Structures are given as C-alpha cells and as structure tokens.
Amino acid sequence: MIIDIHGHYTTAPPALGEWRDRQIAGLKNPSLAPRRSDLEISDDELRNSIEQNQLRLMDERGIDLTVFSPRASFMAHHVGTFETSAEWAAICNELCYRVSRLYPDRFVPAAMLPQSPGVDPASCIPELTRCVEEFGAVALNLNPDPSGGHWSEPPLTDRHWYPIYEKMVEYDIPGMVHVSTSVNPAFHTTGAHYLNADTTAFMQLIQGNLFADFPTLKLVIPHGGGAVPYHWGRFRGLAMALNKPSLEEHLLGNVFFDTCVYHQPGMDLLLDVIPTRNILFASEMIGAVRDIDPCTGHNFDDTARYIEAARLAAPDLDAVQEQNARTVYPRLNALLKQQGR
C-alpha cells in the first residue's frame, strides 16, 4: 500500500472560493457577509472535483490513500478575527470530511485549525475535537505563523502552543507544521514562505526542549524539511553549540519529514541524510508545482517515481510508502485495520 500523508483539497468546487470572497467582503461591509447555509455544494460536485483531479492522479501513480486536509494557502489565518477563521475552518473541514465519506477507501481527513494572530491556541480545541471525534480526522495542520509571513507568534517550543500539544497527545494524532499564504511581499508563498517555515520550525525545535515535556508528541515537517537535509551538518553543529543532544536523540524520536521534493537529486539527498524511519511518502498533489518537468516528461509532483528510482531496499521502501505512516498516524492505522488493510 502507498499512503500519501500530504494532500490538500486544492480543487474544491468554485462555490467555496466564492463564499470565502463574500466572507472577506463582509469584514468591511457586514451586509455582504454570507451565511453558512448560503454555501451549497452537492455530492456530485464533490465527486466531479475529485475524480477528475486527485483521484485520477492517485490511480495513475499507484497511490492507495491520501490524508486529506483543506487547501493550505486558503487557510489564511491572518484574515479577519478568530470568528472569521472559526467559520472558515469549519466549512473547509466539513468538505474534506464529505470527500472521505464519498471515498472511504481513498481519503482520510486531517484538520485545519481556526488559528488567528495573537489569539490563544486553546481557542482551536473545539474545532479540533469536532474533527477528531465526529469526522475521524487522523492529524492536524499547525500553522506556526498565522500572521501570514510576519512571524508574530512565539516559537513552537513556547508554552503558548501547549494547549494544542496537550490535545494532540490526548488524541494521539500528529501535526504537520504547515504555514499558509504569505502577505509579506518579501516571501513568495510556496517558493519561500513554505520552505522557510519548514526550516525555521526545525531550528526552533533544536533550540528548545519541547519533547521533554511531550515525549509522545509527533510533528511532521513537510516539503522534505525545507533546507534541513541539505544543511544537516550545519544543524548538527548548531545543536552541539547550543549544548543540545545529538539530533537523533534530541528530535528524531518525534520529528518526521515528508517526500514532497520535486526532483530526483533532492529526493536522493533526503533519503541518504534522514533516517528511513523518519521519512513518510507524500506528494502534495495537486499543489504548489503542477507542471510537467521538461527534463523528465513527468509531473514535478509525481514523487512516487523518485522513490522508485532511488532503489531502496524492499524493507526501506515499504517503510517509506506505508509502515512509517501507520506508526506516526495511529488513528489512520486503526482505521485501516478496521477496513481489513
């Protein structure tokens, strides 16, 4: 089985974006604000959006199941107030849940949190609870920078974030550290802000001692870890300079990396530097890079090809494609067992 742990609903029906535009317009003119009931998306519209896009590519690439969350760039936690984010997150999470109900063997939901700059993360707990207990979410996406590129929140190791970590430990679900849209013109959203955030999150974790307080907490750093594998020696040296244990002891019992790396040399580097048990298959399709690579004739985000071409030993290949995901996502593993898989 091939499990893709990083999928977003980037192809949702246009009505979702139109509703969001009205919600944002309503921030200035309340008379324009939509009601939740104004959003009408049928099951047939959901099927059409999925079967022509994610599901088609999953079948072509041999991917069996995707952990599916709302579109990351649509989270836009910087927009409006907490109430704005709460309403938006609830709608987006419900759509992912509906997709998982239509295709229970192919999609499993992960939760978007209703974060808002400067707001206590504990405010996210009701939506997280709903997603886990009612929708069967097996993970969450945690935005370390809800300001949208201005980094106004404390580092991930600060007690500011502890309410979310406590709930993650209670539910035994991992969190993918994933930012959203950048409104800072210095940082392109997917080319700079995403990768900067991956790298920044890892360095924050080196500097702190988060896992002393939460020894069972699991965090996934996406996009191959940003610059982390390429600069592994730098991070090892910085850990030493900060009088921290080795990275293997300090972080790698709790921190994992996905394979959203879009060329063969990058994938080979990731697989060579990071221990196999810390790597989980992912593609983030249909996401930041949607074109065909003229050098290969295949989509940049067809990461399954890179994994296969890396010629891993059979046990390592199985670990990356399936077993690591089952270990890091216990609720997913339990669901698969219930399904006889």
Side-chain angles (χ1 to χ4, degrees):
M1 174 181 286
I2 299 179
I3 300 171
D4 186 337
I5 60 126
H6 189 170
H8 297 300
Y9 198 179
T10 56
T11 61
L16 179 65
E18 293 165 4
W19 190 95
R20 175 63 162 172
D21 289 342
R22 291 177 59 194
Q23 186 194 36
I24 293 173
L27 296 174
K28 292 184 178 180
N29 183 350
S31 68
L32 300 177
R35 295 168 297 181
R36 288 274 297 275
S37 59
D38 291 340
L39 179 62
E40 297 182 359
I41 298 176
S42 68
D43 284 354
D44 284 343
E45 289 177 289
L46 294 180
R47 290 188 185 96
N48 185 61
S49 72
I50 290 293
E51 291 178 3
Q52 296 185 30
N53 295 292
Q54 282 88 353
L55 195 56
R56 174 180 61 84
L57 292 175
M58 287 169 64
D59 288 341
E60 290 178 2
R61 300 175 188 182
I63 298 170
D64 297 287
L65 180 140
T66 295
V67 177
F68 205 51
S69 63
R71 185 174 181 176
S73 62
F74 264 29
M75 295 191 298
H77 293 122
H78 62 279
V79 173
T81 63
F82 168 76
E83 288 72 24
T84 308
S85 288
E87 188 172 39
W88 179 231
I91 286 174
C92 292
N93 284 327
E94 185 169 350
L95 283 183
C96 289
Y97 167 65
R98 288 177 60 191
V99 169
S100 74
R101 294 282 289 178
L102 292 171
Y103 306 96
D105 295 335
R106 308 303 300 275
F107 295 94
V108 179
M112 165 184 168
L113 299 180
Q115 297 176 243
S116 188
V119 176
D120 185 347
S123 61
C124 298
I125 300 305
E127 179 63 17
L128 174 58
T129 298
R130 184 176 80 117
C131 287
V132 173
E133 297 187 2
E134 297 182 25
F135 294 168
V138 300
L140 61 83
N141 291 338
L142 178 64
N143 184 352
D145 175 37
S147 72
H150 295 288
W151 291 92
S152 57
E153 304 299 298
L156 290 170
T157 52
D158 191 271
R159 297 189 68 86
H160 170 81
W161 301 100
Y162 277 27
I164 292 179
Y165 299 151
E166 289 166 357
K167 206 66 179 176
M168 290 170 63
V169 169
E170 176 186 339
Y171 282 137
D172 201 9
I173 59 172
M176 178 172 284
V177 181
H178 204 309
V179 290
S180 184
T181 300
S182 169
V183 293
N184 185 335
F187 303 115
H188 182 275
T189 293
T190 55
H193 188 43
Y194 280 18
L195 304 183
N196 292 347
D198 304 333
T199 309
T200 297
F202 191 75
M203 189 63 218
Q204 288 179 359
L205 295 173
I206 290 177
Q207 291 176 274
N209 292 290
L210 177 62
F211 303 116
D213 286 345
F214 297 98
T216 63
L217 182 69
K218 296 183 285 289
L219 297 176
V220 178
I221 299 182
H223 319 115
V228 172
Y230 188 73
H231 285 290
W232 194 248
R234 176 181 291 256
F235 290 114
R236 288 177 57 236
L238 288 169
M240 292 174 61
L242 292 168
N243 294 316
K244 301 295 184 182
S246 69
L247 295 181
E248 288 76 11
E249 180 183 352
H250 189 41
L251 299 185
L252 292 189
N254 306 83
V255 178
F256 304 86
F257 302 83
D258 78 12
T259 64
C260 293
V261 179
Y262 294 155
H263 70 149
Q264 191 67 51
M267 187 68 77
D268 292 342
L269 175 71
L270 173 69
L271 295 170
D272 184 53
V273 172
I274 303 299
T276 300
R277 67 182 180 87
N278 292 88
I279 301 174
L280 292 79
F281 175 77
S283 68
E284 201 183 7
M285 67 178 190
I286 300 168
V289 182
R290 305 187 181 193
D291 289 327
I292 292 176
D293 184 346
C295 295
T296 66
H298 300 289
N299 289 85
F300 282 101
D301 64 4
D302 188 356
T303 55
R305 289 182 176 273
Y306 309 138
I307 298 291
E308 293 168 1
R311 300 187 182 280
L312 294 171
D316 290 340
L317 180 62
D318 181 49
V320 170
Q321 291 180 331
E322 177 182 359
Q323 300 306 324
N324 292 346
R326 286 180 177 268
T327 299
V328 178
Y329 293 65
R331 286 180 174 263
L332 172 61
N333 186 46
L335 176 63
L336 291 173
K337 288 183 176 180
Q338 287 178 1
Q339 295 175 344
R341 295 198 278 175

